[in-house]
Amino acid sequence: MKKAATIFTLLIAGVLYAQQPFKHTLKLMGSRFDITVVANDSTEANGYIDLAVNEISRIERLISSWDANSQTSEINRNAGIHPVKVDAELFNLIQRAIGISKLTDGAFDISYASMDKIWKFDGSMTVMPTADSIRNSVAKVGFQNIVLNKENSTVFLKLIGMKIGFGAIGKGYAADSAKDVLISKGVVSGIINASGDMNTWGKQPDNKEWNIAITNPMNKNKVFALLPISNGAVVTSGNYEKYVTFNNIRYTHIIDPRSGYPATGIISVTVFAPKAELADALATSVFVMGIEAGLNRIEQLPKVACIIIDDKGNITTSKNIEIEKS
């Protein structure tokens, strides 16, 4: 009996090791997605990847503010007019977003979409906007003006011209949803990389954990650190590619929705969390809040950690993480 059990164990191990990772790169939600699944062969892997793509496309149809037929666009069209009934999934996503807004004192805010686009990070901006124009640019921003009615599943934006958008959370949510679908179909391991929003589960076929590379913000062509992650998400936000400089101050493309001014002082934030949606939102928020306030919020949350690099190259980590440079 013991011998049979041993043979059975070896057979199982052999099956697992026979599996291998298969990766496809696609453009979804206007961004690059790398979808990796561990499967027995390419036919099986392609079927799984198609399931992930279908789920990500479904999420995009639900939350896209560029699609006139989406429920998000319907909410925006009726801002200041009347509430809009939405699917429970979208209602719950908005409700969670408002929860993160409260946690971060408004540093994260899906109504940032109401902001006037007065900052340009394409090299064409030569003069800093005036204080009045910056203040006016966020006049219609404010999560407090998003009214939810759970009983009726409706969303109402109080101000005419107000908008919501999921640019700072949507890809993370799509990665989470695709991961859940694949797990439900029996995919034992994989990675969803939504333009840097990484979501992993399981381990590699040789039973080693997945290693996530953190880009060196001082040299984006080099890896700063390699960190193992087996079931969770990691998101890095950086301003080393999109920024403007006025009076020797670097202003990042990540803008504080409360003031209208771009974040300063930080060039990279990496957040580890159970869900990519949360990591995505927090990475942006820490940029806006700054190192001290950002760490304070991160360390209040279970199973969440972060690495912050300032514009002098100094590294700050939350208490529950240790890193080794590569």
Side-chain angles (χ1 to χ4, degrees), residues 76-192:
N76 291 342
R77 273 194 299 272
N78 288 284
I81 302 173
H82 62 75
V84 173
K85 187 174 181 62
V86 300
D87 291 350
E89 181 179 13
L90 181 58
F91 184 94
N92 292 335
L93 177 62
I94 294 171
Q95 189 172 53
R96 291 196 301 274
I98 292 174
I100 296 172
S101 294
K102 293 176 179 178
L103 173 72
T104 61
D105 298 325
F108 175 84
D109 194 330
I110 58 171
S111 70
Y112 79 93
S114 313
M115 196 182 303
D116 294 335
K117 308 300 188 292
I118 61 173
W119 296 90
K120 300 184 186 303
F121 302 95
D122 57 3
S124 65
M125 195 173 184
T126 58
V127 179
M128 187 167 174
T130 65
D132 284 344
S133 65
I134 294 171
R135 183 172 56 253
N136 292 335
S137 72
V138 293
K140 294 178 181 177
V141 177
F143 70 91
Q144 302 89 343
N145 292 317
I146 304 173
V147 180
L148 301 182
N149 184 314
K150 190 171 184 65
E151 183 178 352
N152 297 326
S153 192
T154 60
V155 182
F156 178 53
L157 309 182
K158 286 184 179 181
L159 308 178
I160 291 176
M162 188 178 175
K163 296 177 183 178
I164 59 171
F166 298 95
I169 199 173
K171 291 194 297 295
Y173 176 59
D176 289 336
S177 298
K179 170 183 171 179
D180 290 343
V181 166
L182 293 178
I183 290 174
S184 74
K185 298 300 182 181
V187 181
V188 297
S189 182
I191 303 175
I192 308 291

